[in-house]
PDB file of all heavy atoms in Angstrom:
ATOM      1  N   GLU A  66      98.837  96.688  98.832  1.00  0.00           N
ATOM      2  CA  GLU A  66      99.349  97.269  97.599  1.00  0.00           C
ATOM      3  C   GLU A  66      98.226  97.858  96.755  1.00  0.00           C
ATOM      4  O   GLU A  66      98.394  98.908  96.136  1.00  0.00           O
ATOM      5  CB  GLU A  66     100.107  96.210  96.798  1.00  0.00           C
ATOM      6  CG  GLU A  66     101.435  95.833  97.416  1.00  0.00           C
ATOM      7  CD  GLU A  66     102.092  94.656  96.722  1.00  0.00           C
ATOM      8  OE1 GLU A  66     101.398  93.928  95.976  1.00  0.00           O
ATOM      9  OE2 GLU A  66     103.304  94.473  96.942  1.00  0.00           O
ATOM     10  N   GLU A  67      97.082  97.185  96.743  1.00  0.00           N
ATOM     11  CA  GLU A  67      95.930  97.724  96.008  1.00  0.00           C
ATOM     12  C   GLU A  67      95.447  99.020  96.655  1.00  0.00           C
ATOM     13  O   GLU A  67      95.118  99.991  95.976  1.00  0.00           O
ATOM     14  CB  GLU A  67      94.799  96.692  96.008  1.00  0.00           C
ATOM     15  CG  GLU A  67      93.528  97.175  95.366  1.00  0.00           C
ATOM     16  CD  GLU A  67      92.363  96.239  95.607  1.00  0.00           C
ATOM     17  OE1 GLU A  67      92.557  95.156  96.195  1.00  0.00           O
ATOM     18  OE2 GLU A  67      91.252  96.606  95.210  1.00  0.00           O
ATOM     19  N   THR A  68      95.434  99.056  97.978  1.00  0.00           N
ATOM     20  CA  THR A  68      94.922 100.204  98.712  1.00  0.00           C
ATOM     21  C   THR A  68      95.826 101.427  98.573  1.00  0.00           C
ATOM     22  O   THR A  68      95.341 102.557  98.620  1.00  0.00           O
ATOM     23  CB  THR A  68      94.765  99.823 100.207  1.00  0.00           C
ATOM     24  OG1 THR A  68      93.976  98.652 100.285  1.00  0.00           O
ATOM     25  CG2 THR A  68      94.105 100.917 100.997  1.00  0.00           C
ATOM     26  N   LEU A  69      97.115 101.220  98.391  1.00  0.00           N
ATOM     27  CA  LEU A  69      98.047 102.346  98.296  1.00  0.00           C
ATOM     28  C   LEU A  69      97.726 103.271  97.126  1.00  0.00           C
ATOM     29  O   LEU A  69      98.043 104.461  97.175  1.00  0.00           O
ATOM     30  CB  LEU A  69      99.485 101.837  98.186  1.00  0.00           C
ATOM     31  CG  LEU A  69     100.075 101.221  99.445  1.00  0.00           C
ATOM     32  CD1 LEU A  69     101.475 100.688  99.165  1.00  0.00           C
ATOM     33  CD2 LEU A  69     100.108 102.220 100.582  1.00  0.00           C
ATOM     34  N   THR A  70      97.095 102.768  96.085  1.00  0.00           N
ATOM     35  CA  THR A  70      96.800 103.589  94.913  1.00  0.00           C
ATOM     36  C   THR A  70      95.512 104.390  95.048  1.00  0.00           C
ATOM     37  O   THR A  70      95.241 105.254  94.215  1.00  0.00           O
ATOM     38  CB  THR A  70      96.696 102.703  93.656  1.00  0.00           C
ATOM     39  OG1 THR A  70      95.616 101.769  93.834  1.00  0.00           O
ATOM     40  CG2 THR A  70      97.986 101.940  93.416  1.00  0.00           C
ATOM     41  N   TRP A  71      94.725 104.110  96.063  1.00  0.00           N
ATOM     42  CA  TRP A  71      93.420 104.747  96.181  1.00  0.00           C
ATOM     43  C   TRP A  71      93.486 106.246  96.409  1.00  0.00           C
ATOM     44  O   TRP A  71      92.591 106.971  95.987  1.00  0.00           O
ATOM     45  CB  TRP A  71      92.609 104.120  97.304  1.00  0.00           C
ATOM     46  CG  TRP A  71      92.145 102.731  97.033  1.00  0.00           C
ATOM     47  CD1 TRP A  71      92.311 102.003  95.883  1.00  0.00           C
ATOM     48  CD2 TRP A  71      91.440 101.886  97.931  1.00  0.00           C
ATOM     49  NE1 TRP A  71      91.756 100.765  96.010  1.00  0.00           N
ATOM     50  CE2 TRP A  71      91.210 100.660  97.265  1.00  0.00           C
ATOM     51  CE3 TRP A  71      90.988 102.038  99.222  1.00  0.00           C
ATOM     52  CZ2 TRP A  71      90.530  99.615  97.857  1.00  0.00           C
ATOM     53  CZ3 TRP A  71      90.320 100.995  99.818  1.00  0.00           C
ATOM     54  CH2 TRP A  71      90.087  99.794  99.136  1.00  0.00           C
ATOM     55  N   THR A  72      94.492 106.747  97.091  1.00  0.00           N
ATOM     56  CA  THR A  72      94.533 108.175  97.420  1.00  0.00           C
ATOM     57  C   THR A  72      95.136 109.016  96.303  1.00  0.00           C
ATOM     58  O   THR A  72      95.241 110.223  96.446  1.00  0.00           O
ATOM     59  CB  THR A  72      95.320 108.409  98.720  1.00  0.00           C
ATOM     60  OG1 THR A  72      96.623 107.849  98.578  1.00  0.00           O
ATOM     61  CG2 THR A  72      94.607 107.802  99.912  1.00  0.00           C
ATOM     62  N   ALA A  73      95.510 108.403  95.195  1.00  0.00           N
ATOM     63  CA  ALA A  73      96.098 109.163  94.091  1.00  0.00           C
ATOM     64  C   ALA A  73      95.087 110.129  93.477  1.00  0.00           C
ATOM     65  O   ALA A  73      95.474 111.168  92.940  1.00  0.00           O
ATOM     66  CB  ALA A  73      96.629 108.208  93.029  1.00  0.00           C
ATOM     67  N   CYS A  74      93.799 109.823  93.558  1.00  0.00           N
ATOM     68  CA  CYS A  74      92.772 110.678  92.959  1.00  0.00           C
ATOM     69  C   CYS A  74      92.367 111.834  93.873  1.00  0.00           C
ATOM     70  O   CYS A  74      91.598 112.700  93.458  1.00  0.00           O
ATOM     71  CB  CYS A  74      91.550 109.846  92.606  1.00  0.00           C
ATOM     72  SG  CYS A  74      90.738 109.106  94.026  1.00  0.00           S
ATOM     73  N   LEU A  75      92.891 111.884  95.081  1.00  0.00           N
ATOM     74  CA  LEU A  75      92.510 112.922  96.037  1.00  0.00           C
ATOM     75  C   LEU A  75      93.447 114.122  95.970  1.00  0.00           C
ATOM     76  O   LEU A  75      94.576 114.022  95.494  1.00  0.00           O
ATOM     77  CB  LEU A  75      92.537 112.357  97.459  1.00  0.00           C
ATOM     78  CG  LEU A  75      91.615 111.193  97.767  1.00  0.00           C
ATOM     79  CD1 LEU A  75      91.842 110.723  99.193  1.00  0.00           C
ATOM     80  CD2 LEU A  75      90.178 111.587  97.570  1.00  0.00           C
ATOM     81  N   ASP A  76      92.950 115.243  96.490  1.00  0.00           N
ATOM     82  CA  ASP A  76      93.829 116.400  96.675  1.00  0.00           C
ATOM     83  C   ASP A  76      94.897 116.026  97.689  1.00  0.00           C
ATOM     84  O   ASP A  76      94.656 115.185  98.560  1.00  0.00           O
ATOM     85  CB  ASP A  76      93.024 117.598  97.195  1.00  0.00           C
ATOM     86  CG  ASP A  76      92.052 118.133  96.153  1.00  0.00           C
ATOM     87  OD1 ASP A  76      92.315 117.933  94.949  1.00  0.00           O
ATOM     88  OD2 ASP A  76      91.028 118.730  96.548  1.00  0.00           O
ATOM     89  N   PRO A  77      96.081 116.651  97.626  1.00  0.00           N
ATOM     90  CA  PRO A  77      97.148 116.279  98.570  1.00  0.00           C
ATOM     91  C   PRO A  77      96.755 116.424 100.041  1.00  0.00           C
ATOM     92  O   PRO A  77      97.101 115.568 100.851  1.00  0.00           O
ATOM     93  CB  PRO A  77      98.286 117.236  98.206  1.00  0.00           C
ATOM     94  CG  PRO A  77      98.045 117.605  96.790  1.00  0.00           C
ATOM     95  CD  PRO A  77      96.561 117.587  96.610  1.00  0.00           C
ATOM     96  N   VAL A  78      96.007 117.457 100.371  1.00  0.00           N
ATOM     97  CA  VAL A  78      95.600 117.649 101.773  1.00  0.00           C
ATOM     98  C   VAL A  78      94.646 116.540 102.194  1.00  0.00           C
ATOM     99  O   VAL A  78      94.790 115.965 103.286  1.00  0.00           O
ATOM    100  CB  VAL A  78      94.946 119.038 101.967  1.00  0.00           C
ATOM    101  CG1 VAL A  78      94.353 119.170 103.352  1.00  0.00           C
ATOM    102  CG2 VAL A  78      95.947 120.135 101.711  1.00  0.00           C
ATOM    103  N   ASP A  79      93.684 116.224 101.327  1.00  0.00           N
ATOM    104  CA  ASP A  79      92.728 115.163 101.654  1.00  0.00           C
ATOM    105  C   ASP A  79      93.431 113.817 101.801  1.00  0.00           C
ATOM    106  O   ASP A  79      93.152 113.055 102.724  1.00  0.00           O
ATOM    107  CB  ASP A  79      91.642 115.064 100.581  1.00  0.00           C
ATOM    108  CG  ASP A  79      90.796 116.320 100.485  1.00  0.00           C
ATOM    109  OD1 ASP A  79      90.770 117.092 101.457  1.00  0.00           O
ATOM    110  OD2 ASP A  79      90.161 116.522  99.432  1.00  0.00           O
TER     111      ASP A  79
END
Side-chain angles (χ1 to χ4, degrees):
E66 288 172 343
E67 176 191 355
T68 306
L69 289 177
T70 62
W71 290 357
T72 56
C74 63
L75 300 177
D76 292 335
V78 172
D79 297 339

